Amino acid sequence: MAKLNLENLTKAYSRKIIPVKQINLEVEDGEFLTLLGPSGCGKSTLLRLIAGLEKPTEGEINIGGKAMKNVAPGNRNIAMVFQSYALYPHMTAEENIATALKIRKTSEAEIAERVKDAAKKLELTKDKDCLSCKPGELSGGQRQRVALARALVRKPEVFLLDEPLSNLDALLREQVRGELKQIFKAQNKPVVYVTHDQTEAMTLSDTVVVLYDGTVQQKGHPEQIYQFPENQFVAGFVGSPQMNLLELKCENKFALLGDYQVPLINIDDTKLPSIENKIQWPEYIVLGIRPEEIKETSLEDEQGIQGKITLVEELGREKLVSLQVDGSDIILRALLGKSTQWNIDDTVRFIIPENCIHWFRWDGSGRNEEGQLINPLHQRDRLNKGR
Ligand code: ADP
Ligand code: MG
């Protein structure tokens, strides 16, 4: 049995507000699992349930095979790092790190030893002695390290981290990200890490769980989630710049892309409805293609799709080029090498490699007249063969 086990976990605040819906998850010792999803999808609520700060409406939490139902938060031996750090302002960093140990009546000598050890791992003694400073005297990055040290020092059964890097500036975040991975690997305990930042999720995790509206959309290795998104929500949420997702009309096993016809190949027809054994090809479909998969070609290439460049964005190492497909108002974004000669207003041709296309079920327009999402995108499942 996994070290941390969630069974059918549900939290309802009212009949309408159900931020966590029947979640089943297992996290092993030494596994770094990230809950990834947009703001409001239920990530923090799920962590608070595990920590015992909220009571589940339904379902069970097991840690090390033991049911947590009647175990108070203080007895769960869980270390949680909050987004706000939640440090005591009147205590020094050292006292903050030691608080949980003092409550647990650890000996003075052992406290000193463990604090020193955690402070060293988090480089709190490197530049200046941060340990004797109060949180107000420390930078955001140092405060965040103190909060992490306070979690490490506990030697808990499970680590829970709620967007711990979101208050850091981009440079520091990147640096700490790498260190975090190593530090937690060495602890060999289950880590549940919450973020809305897909780069963080992809770089840190052994396992990514994409959440939307309180339900698991997909669980897997970061690479698997990137290569084989199981529905349109995951496809659009993971990957930067975002995957192009086009709602296209279909005709005779082709999707109509402006003046062009994209063959509906590589589609698993067992996923399509059939009437009297005759497969019903869809009237509309969603074509997904990542910006980095679109290739430049010459104007003479008859295989190429012709379009006009409407925008060129410099990203330093690459250029992000917006292309309007001839005969339509469809705009595609392509990520091209910085040596590309393409400029705004140029007429060009490009290739969408057929084996790179992700097909998703179309279930009606996703937006109403005001442009708000009405159809849950997570029900638009992947139609490709093989996955
Ligand atoms: P996330 O951490 O993914 O941004 P949260 O878990 O904080 O999302 O919140 C999920 C949803 O639950 C939100 O719609 C939020 O308003 C609602 N919610 C959270 N806590 C409470 C509460 N104590 N009472 C009522 N609704 C809540
Ligand atoms: Mg949150």
Side-chain angles (χ1 to χ4, degrees), residues 227-230 243 265-272 285-288 353-361 381-387:
Q227 287 192 354
F228 308 106
E230 273 169 21
M243 184 190 286
I265 54 169
N266 205 15
I267 288 183
D268 180 357
D269 51 24
T270 63
K271 292 180 181 167
L272 298 174
I285 200 162
V286 179
L287 181 158
E354 278 168 5
N355 60 348
C356 295
I357 294 177
H358 305 261
W359 297 108
F360 299 101
R361 187 185 307 282
D381 52 332
R382 185 183 184 82
L383 294 174
N384 291 57
K385 247 186 206 146
R387 282 271 173 175

mmCIF file of all heavy atoms in Angstrom, residues 227-230 243 265-272 285-288 353-361 381-387:
data_model
loop_
_atom_site.group_PDB
_atom_site.id
_atom_site.type_symbol
_atom_site.label_atom_id
_atom_site.label_comp_id
_atom_site.label_asym_id
_atom_site.label_seq_id
_atom_site.Cartn_x
_atom_site.Cartn_y
_atom_site.Cartn_z
ATOM 1 N N GLN A 227 2.895 14.846 -23.944
ATOM 2 C CA GLN A 227 2.802 14.211 -25.266
ATOM 3 C C GLN A 227 1.416 13.672 -25.587
ATOM 4 O O GLN A 227 1.017 13.651 -26.733
ATOM 5 C CB GLN A 227 3.809 13.059 -25.358
ATOM 6 C CG GLN A 227 5.216 13.557 -25.491
ATOM 7 C CD GLN A 227 6.155 12.442 -25.882
ATOM 8 O OE1 GLN A 227 5.761 11.283 -25.951
ATOM 9 N NE2 GLN A 227 7.390 12.784 -26.129
ATOM 10 N N PHE A 228 0.722 13.204 -24.552
ATOM 11 C CA PHE A 228 -0.576 12.572 -24.797
ATOM 12 C C PHE A 228 -1.654 13.150 -23.883
ATOM 13 O O PHE A 228 -2.184 12.435 -23.028
ATOM 14 C CB PHE A 228 -0.482 11.049 -24.590
ATOM 15 C CG PHE A 228 0.640 10.412 -25.352
ATOM 16 C CD1 PHE A 228 1.788 9.988 -24.695
ATOM 17 C CD2 PHE A 228 0.563 10.250 -26.724
ATOM 18 C CE1 PHE A 228 2.838 9.408 -25.387
ATOM 19 C CE2 PHE A 228 1.609 9.671 -27.430
ATOM 20 C CZ PHE A 228 2.752 9.252 -26.764
ATOM 21 N N PRO A 229 -1.972 14.436 -24.025
ATOM 22 C CA PRO A 229 -3.020 14.998 -23.178
ATOM 23 C C PRO A 229 -4.344 14.295 -23.457
ATOM 24 O O PRO A 229 -4.713 14.103 -24.615
ATOM 25 C CB PRO A 229 -3.069 16.472 -23.591
ATOM 26 C CG PRO A 229 -2.417 16.535 -24.922
ATOM 27 C CD PRO A 229 -1.441 15.412 -24.998
ATOM 28 N N GLU A 230 -5.026 13.889 -22.375
ATOM 29 C CA GLU A 230 -6.214 13.057 -22.553
ATOM 30 C C GLU A 230 -7.473 13.841 -22.894
ATOM 31 O O GLU A 230 -8.470 13.264 -23.303
ATOM 32 C CB GLU A 230 -6.447 12.197 -21.308
ATOM 33 C CG GLU A 230 -5.677 10.904 -21.389
ATOM 34 C CD GLU A 230 -5.659 10.140 -20.085
ATOM 35 O OE1 GLU A 230 -6.530 10.368 -19.237
ATOM 36 O OE2 GLU A 230 -4.753 9.315 -19.926
ATOM 37 N N MET A 243 -0.822 25.129 -26.722
ATOM 38 C CA MET A 243 -1.162 24.395 -27.942
ATOM 39 C C MET A 243 -2.236 25.157 -28.724
ATOM 40 O O MET A 243 -3.148 25.731 -28.132
ATOM 41 C CB MET A 243 -1.697 23.004 -27.561
ATOM 42 C CG MET A 243 -1.995 22.115 -28.750
ATOM 43 S SD MET A 243 -2.881 20.595 -28.285
ATOM 44 C CE MET A 243 -1.607 19.632 -27.516
ATOM 45 N N ILE A 265 -7.042 11.336 -40.147
ATOM 46 C CA ILE A 265 -6.383 10.042 -39.984
ATOM 47 C C ILE A 265 -5.878 9.946 -38.558
ATOM 48 O O ILE A 265 -5.867 10.926 -37.826
ATOM 49 C CB ILE A 265 -5.215 9.852 -40.968
ATOM 50 C CG1 ILE A 265 -4.244 11.030 -40.843
ATOM 51 C CG2 ILE A 265 -5.708 9.708 -42.391
ATOM 52 C CD1 ILE A 265 -2.951 10.789 -41.567
ATOM 53 N N ASN A 266 -5.455 8.723 -38.185
ATOM 54 C CA ASN A 266 -4.928 8.509 -36.844
ATOM 55 C C ASN A 266 -6.004 8.680 -35.769
ATOM 56 O O ASN A 266 -5.700 8.982 -34.626
ATOM 57 C CB ASN A 266 -3.761 9.469 -36.603
ATOM 58 C CG ASN A 266 -2.815 8.934 -35.547
ATOM 59 O OD1 ASN A 266 -2.873 7.754 -35.208
ATOM 60 N ND2 ASN A 266 -1.977 9.794 -35.023
ATOM 61 N N ILE A 267 -7.261 8.533 -36.180
ATOM 62 C CA ILE A 267 -8.349 8.637 -35.211
ATOM 63 C C ILE A 267 -8.863 7.239 -34.876
ATOM 64 O O ILE A 267 -9.039 6.403 -35.766
ATOM 65 C CB ILE A 267 -9.496 9.513 -35.765
ATOM 66 C CG1 ILE A 267 -9.011 10.970 -35.764
ATOM 67 C CG2 ILE A 267 -10.776 9.365 -34.950
ATOM 68 C CD1 ILE A 267 -10.030 11.961 -36.195
ATOM 69 N N ASP A 268 -9.021 6.999 -33.603
ATOM 70 C CA ASP A 268 -9.523 5.705 -33.140
ATOM 71 C C ASP A 268 -11.044 5.689 -33.309
ATOM 72 O O ASP A 268 -11.763 6.307 -32.532
ATOM 73 C CB ASP A 268 -9.130 5.548 -31.668
ATOM 74 C CG ASP A 268 -9.614 4.238 -31.082
ATOM 75 O OD1 ASP A 268 -10.305 3.484 -31.802
ATOM 76 O OD2 ASP A 268 -9.306 3.978 -29.909
ATOM 77 N N ASP A 269 -11.524 4.965 -34.354
ATOM 78 C CA ASP A 269 -12.957 5.071 -34.649
ATOM 79 C C ASP A 269 -13.833 4.335 -33.631
ATOM 80 O O ASP A 269 -15.034 4.535 -33.593
ATOM 81 C CB ASP A 269 -13.293 4.694 -36.100
ATOM 82 C CG ASP A 269 -12.714 3.356 -36.493
ATOM 83 O OD1 ASP A 269 -12.475 2.559 -35.570
ATOM 84 O OD2 ASP A 269 -12.506 3.121 -37.697
ATOM 85 N N THR A 270 -13.184 3.540 -32.749
ATOM 86 C CA THR A 270 -14.007 2.934 -31.684
ATOM 87 C C THR A 270 -14.463 4.001 -30.687
ATOM 88 O O THR A 270 -15.352 3.772 -29.877
ATOM 89 C CB THR A 270 -13.231 1.842 -30.912
ATOM 90 O OG1 THR A 270 -12.121 2.458 -30.261
ATOM 91 C CG2 THR A 270 -12.758 0.735 -31.818
ATOM 92 N N LYS A 271 -13.818 5.165 -30.733
ATOM 93 C CA LYS A 271 -14.214 6.246 -29.831
ATOM 94 C C LYS A 271 -15.341 7.097 -30.427
ATOM 95 O O LYS A 271 -15.808 8.042 -29.808
ATOM 96 C CB LYS A 271 -13.007 7.149 -29.523
ATOM 97 C CG LYS A 271 -11.942 6.467 -28.692
ATOM 98 C CD LYS A 271 -10.775 7.397 -28.420
ATOM 99 C CE LYS A 271 -9.693 6.701 -27.609
ATOM 100 N NZ LYS A 271 -8.445 7.473 -27.589
ATOM 101 N N LEU A 272 -15.720 6.771 -31.685
ATOM 102 C CA LEU A 272 -16.807 7.531 -32.328
ATOM 103 C C LEU A 272 -18.108 6.745 -32.225
ATOM 104 O O LEU A 272 -18.089 5.518 -32.169
ATOM 105 C CB LEU A 272 -16.462 7.772 -33.805
ATOM 106 C CG LEU A 272 -15.210 8.600 -34.070
ATOM 107 C CD1 LEU A 272 -14.887 8.638 -35.552
ATOM 108 C CD2 LEU A 272 -15.356 10.015 -33.521
ATOM 109 N N ILE A 285 -14.762 18.952 -35.146
ATOM 110 C CA ILE A 285 -13.699 18.296 -34.378
ATOM 111 C C ILE A 285 -12.738 19.379 -33.900
ATOM 112 O O ILE A 285 -12.725 20.490 -34.449
ATOM 113 C CB ILE A 285 -12.988 17.234 -35.258
ATOM 114 C CG1 ILE A 285 -12.247 16.222 -34.399
ATOM 115 C CG2 ILE A 285 -12.042 17.888 -36.273
ATOM 116 C CD1 ILE A 285 -11.903 14.935 -35.138
ATOM 117 N N VAL A 286 -11.958 19.064 -32.868
ATOM 118 C CA VAL A 286 -10.939 20.018 -32.411
ATOM 119 C C VAL A 286 -9.570 19.494 -32.830
ATOM 120 O O VAL A 286 -9.204 18.366 -32.498
ATOM 121 C CB VAL A 286 -10.993 20.212 -30.881
ATOM 122 C CG1 VAL A 286 -9.899 21.186 -30.418
ATOM 123 C CG2 VAL A 286 -12.373 20.719 -30.456
ATOM 124 N N LEU A 287 -8.850 20.322 -33.567
ATOM 125 C CA LEU A 287 -7.494 19.980 -33.989
ATOM 126 C C LEU A 287 -6.526 20.692 -33.057
ATOM 127 O O LEU A 287 -6.585 21.909 -32.901
ATOM 128 C CB LEU A 287 -7.270 20.428 -35.438
ATOM 129 C CG LEU A 287 -5.914 20.154 -36.090
ATOM 130 C CD1 LEU A 287 -6.060 20.148 -37.618
ATOM 131 C CD2 LEU A 287 -4.819 21.126 -35.704
ATOM 132 N N GLY A 288 -5.625 19.915 -32.437
ATOM 133 C CA GLY A 288 -4.610 20.512 -31.561
ATOM 134 C C GLY A 288 -3.234 20.347 -32.165
ATOM 135 O O GLY A 288 -2.877 19.260 -32.628
ATOM 136 N N PRO A 353 2.567 18.845 -39.381
ATOM 137 C CA PRO A 353 2.837 17.415 -39.574
ATOM 138 C C PRO A 353 1.672 16.566 -39.039
ATOM 139 O O PRO A 353 1.237 16.762 -37.900
ATOM 140 C CB PRO A 353 4.110 17.168 -38.755
ATOM 141 C CG PRO A 353 4.706 18.523 -38.529
ATOM 142 C CD PRO A 353 3.574 19.488 -38.498
ATOM 143 N N GLU A 354 1.194 15.654 -39.860
ATOM 144 C CA GLU A 354 -0.007 14.889 -39.488
ATOM 145 C C GLU A 354 0.180 14.080 -38.207
ATOM 146 O O GLU A 354 -0.745 13.952 -37.402
ATOM 147 C CB GLU A 354 -0.404 13.946 -40.636
ATOM 148 C CG GLU A 354 -1.199 14.676 -41.694
ATOM 149 C CD GLU A 354 -1.366 13.870 -42.983
ATOM 150 O OE1 GLU A 354 -0.945 12.701 -43.026
ATOM 151 O OE2 GLU A 354 -1.923 14.439 -43.943
ATOM 152 N N ASN A 355 1.411 13.571 -38.025
ATOM 153 C CA ASN A 355 1.626 12.726 -36.830
ATOM 154 C C ASN A 355 1.744 13.543 -35.542
ATOM 155 O O ASN A 355 1.862 12.983 -34.466
ATOM 156 C CB ASN A 355 2.851 11.823 -37.019
ATOM 157 C CG ASN A 355 4.109 12.624 -37.255
ATOM 158 O OD1 ASN A 355 4.052 13.832 -37.495
ATOM 159 N ND2 ASN A 355 5.247 11.962 -37.178
ATOM 160 N N CYS A 356 1.738 14.869 -35.669
ATOM 161 C CA CYS A 356 1.817 15.714 -34.462
ATOM 162 C C CYS A 356 0.445 16.248 -34.054
ATOM 163 O O CYS A 356 0.323 16.981 -33.063
ATOM 164 C CB CYS A 356 2.738 16.909 -34.700
ATOM 165 S SG CYS A 356 4.442 16.421 -34.986
ATOM 166 N N ILE A 357 -0.581 15.903 -34.826
ATOM 167 C CA ILE A 357 -1.906 16.465 -34.531
ATOM 168 C C ILE A 357 -2.572 15.703 -33.381
ATOM 169 O O ILE A 357 -2.573 14.473 -33.350
ATOM 170 C CB ILE A 357 -2.816 16.413 -35.782
ATOM 171 C CG1 ILE A 357 -2.247 17.337 -36.870
ATOM 172 C CG2 ILE A 357 -4.249 16.828 -35.436
ATOM 173 C CD1 ILE A 357 -3.023 17.299 -38.183
ATOM 174 N N HIS A 358 -3.124 16.456 -32.439
ATOM 175 C CA HIS A 358 -3.953 15.876 -31.376
ATOM 176 C C HIS A 358 -5.410 16.153 -31.755
ATOM 177 O O HIS A 358 -5.781 17.308 -31.975
ATOM 178 C CB HIS A 358 -3.672 16.546 -30.030
ATOM 179 C CG HIS A 358 -2.232 16.522 -29.623
ATOM 180 N ND1 HIS A 358 -1.711 15.610 -28.742
ATOM 181 C CD2 HIS A 358 -1.177 17.311 -29.993
ATOM 182 C CE1 HIS A 358 -0.427 15.825 -28.572
ATOM 183 N NE2 HIS A 358 -0.073 16.859 -29.321
ATOM 184 N N TRP A 359 -6.205 15.102 -31.847
ATOM 185 C CA TRP A 359 -7.630 15.283 -32.157
ATOM 186 C C TRP A 359 -8.464 15.180 -30.890
ATOM 187 O O TRP A 359 -8.245 14.286 -30.072
ATOM 188 C CB TRP A 359 -8.121 14.212 -33.136
ATOM 189 C CG TRP A 359 -7.472 14.242 -34.484
ATOM 190 C CD1 TRP A 359 -6.571 13.340 -34.969
ATOM 191 C CD2 TRP A 359 -7.679 15.206 -35.528
ATOM 192 N NE1 TRP A 359 -6.192 13.677 -36.249
ATOM 193 C CE2 TRP A 359 -6.853 14.828 -36.618
ATOM 194 C CE3 TRP A 359 -8.448 16.356 -35.646
ATOM 195 C CZ2 TRP A 359 -6.789 15.552 -37.798
ATOM 196 C CZ3 TRP A 359 -8.401 17.081 -36.825
ATOM 197 C CH2 TRP A 359 -7.576 16.676 -37.883
ATOM 198 N N PHE A 360 -9.407 16.095 -30.722
ATOM 199 C CA PHE A 360 -10.300 16.036 -29.560
ATOM 200 C C PHE A 360 -11.749 16.096 -30.021
ATOM 201 O O PHE A 360 -12.076 16.749 -31.018
ATOM 202 C CB PHE A 360 -10.021 17.194 -28.592
ATOM 203 C CG PHE A 360 -8.622 17.178 -28.050
ATOM 204 C CD1 PHE A 360 -7.653 18.027 -28.572
ATOM 205 C CD2 PHE A 360 -8.268 16.286 -27.049
ATOM 206 C CE1 PHE A 360 -6.351 18.004 -28.097
ATOM 207 C CE2 PHE A 360 -6.963 16.254 -26.565
ATOM 208 C CZ PHE A 360 -6.005 17.114 -27.087
ATOM 209 N N ARG A 361 -12.589 15.410 -29.229
ATOM 210 C CA ARG A 361 -14.018 15.424 -29.499
ATOM 211 C C ARG A 361 -14.548 16.851 -29.366
ATOM 212 O O ARG A 361 -14.147 17.587 -28.475
ATOM 213 C CB ARG A 361 -14.708 14.516 -28.484
ATOM 214 C CG ARG A 361 -16.179 14.287 -28.735
ATOM 215 C CD ARG A 361 -16.772 13.470 -27.588
ATOM 216 N NE ARG A 361 -16.044 12.229 -27.333
ATOM 217 C CZ ARG A 361 -16.166 11.133 -28.077
ATOM 218 N NH1 ARG A 361 -16.977 11.102 -29.108
ATOM 219 N NH2 ARG A 361 -15.472 10.048 -27.795
ATOM 220 N N ASP A 381 -12.656 14.656 -24.976
ATOM 221 C CA ASP A 381 -11.581 13.695 -24.837
ATOM 222 C C ASP A 381 -10.819 13.472 -26.134
ATOM 223 O O ASP A 381 -11.281 13.770 -27.225
ATOM 224 C CB ASP A 381 -12.113 12.378 -24.256
ATOM 225 C CG ASP A 381 -13.310 11.880 -25.043
ATOM 226 O OD1 ASP A 381 -14.023 12.703 -25.615
ATOM 227 O OD2 ASP A 381 -13.513 10.654 -25.099
ATOM 228 N N ARG A 382 -9.637 12.906 -25.930
ATOM 229 C CA ARG A 382 -8.720 12.656 -27.027
ATOM 230 C C ARG A 382 -9.260 11.559 -27.930
ATOM 231 O O ARG A 382 -9.774 10.543 -27.472
ATOM 232 C CB ARG A 382 -7.403 12.224 -26.399
ATOM 233 C CG ARG A 382 -6.269 12.017 -27.347
ATOM 234 C CD ARG A 382 -5.048 11.521 -26.565
ATOM 235 N NE ARG A 382 -3.936 11.407 -27.455
ATOM 236 C CZ ARG A 382 -3.167 12.420 -27.815
ATOM 237 N NH1 ARG A 382 -3.381 13.608 -27.318
ATOM 238 N NH2 ARG A 382 -2.192 12.251 -28.662
ATOM 239 N N LEU A 383 -9.116 11.748 -29.256
ATOM 240 C CA LEU A 383 -9.638 10.757 -30.199
ATOM 241 C C LEU A 383 -8.524 9.978 -30.926
ATOM 242 O O LEU A 383 -8.807 9.074 -31.686
ATOM 243 C CB LEU A 383 -10.515 11.456 -31.246
ATOM 244 C CG LEU A 383 -11.815 12.079 -30.716
ATOM 245 C CD1 LEU A 383 -12.513 12.873 -31.818
ATOM 246 C CD2 LEU A 383 -12.742 11.005 -30.167
ATOM 247 N N ASN A 384 -7.253 10.364 -30.658
ATOM 248 C CA ASN A 384 -6.172 9.708 -31.396
ATOM 249 C C ASN A 384 -6.110 8.211 -31.126
ATOM 250 O O ASN A 384 -6.444 7.746 -30.043
ATOM 251 C CB ASN A 384 -4.810 10.316 -31.002
ATOM 252 C CG ASN A 384 -4.663 11.727 -31.486
ATOM 253 O OD1 ASN A 384 -5.476 12.574 -31.157
ATOM 254 N ND2 ASN A 384 -3.638 11.984 -32.261
ATOM 255 N N LYS A 385 -5.608 7.519 -32.115
ATOM 256 C CA LYS A 385 -5.358 6.075 -31.972
ATOM 257 C C LYS A 385 -4.212 5.858 -31.013
ATOM 258 O O LYS A 385 -3.315 6.670 -30.907
ATOM 259 C CB LYS A 385 -4.943 5.516 -33.337
ATOM 260 C CG LYS A 385 -5.936 4.574 -33.919
ATOM 261 C CD LYS A 385 -5.392 3.945 -35.185
ATOM 262 C CE LYS A 385 -6.550 3.546 -36.051
ATOM 263 N NZ LYS A 385 -6.272 3.682 -37.457
ATOM 264 N N GLY A 386 -4.212 4.736 -30.331
ATOM 265 C CA GLY A 386 -3.067 4.377 -29.511
ATOM 266 C C GLY A 386 -3.159 4.915 -28.099
ATOM 267 O O GLY A 386 -2.693 4.293 -27.178
ATOM 268 N N ARG A 387 -3.759 6.097 -27.915
ATOM 269 C CA ARG A 387 -3.856 6.663 -26.568
ATOM 270 C C ARG A 387 -5.273 7.076 -26.297
ATOM 271 O O ARG A 387 -5.945 7.569 -27.188
ATOM 272 C CB ARG A 387 -2.958 7.903 -26.435
ATOM 273 C CG ARG A 387 -1.547 7.547 -26.260
ATOM 274 C CD ARG A 387 -1.227 7.375 -24.784
ATOM 275 N NE ARG A 387 0.125 6.859 -24.634
ATOM 276 C CZ ARG A 387 0.710 6.700 -23.454
ATOM 277 N NH1 ARG A 387 0.073 6.988 -22.358
ATOM 278 N NH2 ARG A 387 1.923 6.222 -23.391
#
